[in-house]
Each structure stands twice: as C-alpha cells, then as structure tokens.
Amino acid sequence: RLNQNSKITKAKIKQRMSFSKPFRAALASSLSLAWSLQATPPITHSCNRRWVHRTFAMVSGVAPPVTSHLSLVPQFLSQTLKQGDVAVDATAGNGYDTLSLAQLVLSADGGSGRVIYFDVQNQALETTRSKLLSVFSEKELTSRATQLHTNHRDIAILDEILPSGSLVKAFTYNLGYLPGGDKSIVTQFEDTLVSLRGASKRTAPGGLICVTCYTGHVGGREETDLVRLELTQWSQSVW
C-alpha cells in the first residue's frame, strides 16, 4: 500500500529496474505464479509475471539466482516487517510463512508484535503451532500468536481481535491445497477474492500483501487468473 508521501513515479521505477537473463529464466520456469503488492516505495503498479521480476529487482537491489517462487515472499517480508508489527498468514498450511512472520515481528522482550494465522484444517493449525514452538516458548506465544480455525474469507474477524484502529503490516496467502494433506481441500476463488478485498482495507500504509498461486490442481488456473484480474483492478493511487 502506497505511502501518501511517496514521490516515486513509474518513470523512475523503470529507470531503476534491471535483472539478468538467468533470473528471468528461473522465474519463468517456476511451476507457480507469485505476485506481491509491495506497499513501501518503490512500488509496482501491475500484477503479472513481468512485474514480479521488476518488483523483486527493485526491492532486493540486485537479482539473485532465484530457482523458485518461494524465494520471493521472504525477501519482500524481510524488507517490510520489523519487530512490533502485526502480520497475518491467511492460509497457514504447513506454517512456513507464519514462522517467517513471527520471527520478524515478535520482539524478544515479549511486549510487542503480533502474528495471526488462519486455516480451515486442524492438521495445518497443529503443524503451524509446532513450528512456532520449535523457535518460541509457550510464554512468548501467549497473546501474541493467534490461530483461527476458519476460512480466510472471514478476514473481517481481525476487527474483533486487534485493538480498534490497528492495521496489518503484512498479509501472506499461499493458495491451493495443503502439501502432504488432503488434496481435495483447496482454496476457492470466491473466498480468496473476498479475503483479499478485506485485507486491502486493513493493510497499513507501507505494508504489503503477498499472494502465491498454484495452477496444477483442479480450479487452480481459474483462481490464479481471477486473482490476477482482481489485483490489476486495485487503485494505483493506493497500491
């Protein structure tokens, strides 16, 4: 989400964009598509694979040898989040994104930072909790790591959990099915679009929303295309 005092223009962005052929090839060969709406300047104003290259090159300063879309999200998060921020994993899955968020926002003194994670499957919530406990103590997680056994479309529940007026610095979405779980249980595009729209209203200026889509399962291509369409329609004056 754009900071209102941003003076970065598209022309300046394009002047700063550079990335190597190996980097382009590595991203293009990925079996998945990944988008991020980066809310700290420099900013991308479109959401497709072409802009993924450009965003990553701008955020990191150089184009490292990426071999997977999974390398993108941690880069964006580490550039944006700091201790004391609020972060939400809308699709916890096996807990990798949730753990990354927690390590970035939970302060060592136990006084600030909050991570909230959603999933419809108990298996995913239990796995995620175990990952968090492998790094943090039960005491450190108390009141600062909240799990929600519900669909990611219920993003508005954040208003009941967070103090009035609180905004989220980063949302992560990893769509599709739970790796190692029941592949018949997948995210549905209707739920995802509702959730993304809700997240957009609750993202702090300078924050971001990361969305990773997969196309290999039934319904995956349709969800991917609709997410892309949705994100390209968001106001460029805000995102």
Side-chain angles (χ1 to χ4, degrees):
R1 188 170 186 175
L2 284 168
N3 283 320
Q4 294 303 311
N5 61 355
S6 172
K7 296 182 180 180
I8 301 295
T9 64
K10 275 192 174 181
K12 290 181 180 179
I13 288 173
K14 291 180 179 179
Q15 290 174 359
R16 295 172 61 180
M17 289 189 279
S18 62
F19 40 88
S20 64
K21 288 183 179 179
F23 176 64
R24 293 198 301 268
L27 277 176
S29 65
S30 174
L31 296 179
S32 306
L33 305 179
W35 297 282
S36 283
L37 292 181
Q38 171 64 26
T40 303
I43 262 293
T44 125
H45 290 269
S46 295
C47 305
N48 53 44
R49 279 180 290 182
R50 178 169 62 89
W51 281 98
V52 167
H53 299 262
R54 296 181 176 182
T55 304
F56 189 70
M58 290 187 294
V59 171
S60 64
V62 294
V66 178
T67 58
S68 167
H69 63 284
L70 298 176
S71 302
L72 291 171
V73 172
Q75 287 283 339
F76 290 130
L77 296 175
S78 65
Q79 293 285 335
T80 303
L81 292 171
K82 64 182 185 304
Q83 288 187 352
D85 286 336
V86 177
V88 174
D89 187 351
T91 54
N94 282 321
Y96 293 104
D97 285 342
T98 305
L99 180 58
S100 294
L101 295 174
Q103 290 175 313
L104 289 168
V105 305
L106 299 186
S107 59
D109 61 14
S112 61
R114 186 83 178 267
V115 63
I116 301 168
Y117 54 102
F118 291 67
D119 210 285
V120 296
Q121 298 186 68
N122 278 320
Q123 177 186 345
L125 295 175
E126 291 169 1
T127 300
T128 299
R129 182 72 176 177
S130 295
K131 277 195 172 58
L132 291 172
L133 287 172
S134 71
V135 176
F136 299 95
S137 68
E138 187 76 44
K139 182 178 179 180
E140 288 175 313
L141 295 178
T142 301
S143 78
R144 298 198 298 154
T146 303
Q147 69 176 35
L148 298 173
H149 186 198
T150 189
N151 193 296
H152 59 303
R153 73 174 291 134
D154 298 325
I155 204 76
I157 199 173
L158 293 174
D159 298 340
E160 303 174 18
I161 297 172
L162 297 173
S164 177
S166 294
L167 293 173
V168 177
K169 196 61 178 289
F171 287 89
T172 59
Y173 290 80
N174 207 313
L175 305 178
Y177 56 81
L178 174 65
D182 185 347
K183 294 184 179 180
S184 69
I185 302 176
V186 298
T187 53
Q188 303 295 321
F189 73 83
E190 300 97 332
D191 298 331
T192 299
L193 296 183
V194 169
S195 186
L196 286 171
R197 291 163 188 163
S200 71
K201 300 174 183 178
R202 295 169 174 82
T203 304
L208 64 83
I209 296 174
C210 294
V211 185
T212 305
C213 297
Y214 298 85
T215 62
H217 60 281
V218 175
R221 169 61 66 183
E222 182 180 17
E223 184 174 43
T224 295
D225 291 342
L226 289 170
V227 167
R228 171 184 287 155
L229 178 62
E230 171 70 21
L231 300 187
T232 57
Q233 293 176 343
W234 285 11
S235 171
Q236 293 186 17
S237 66
V238 179
W239 293 92

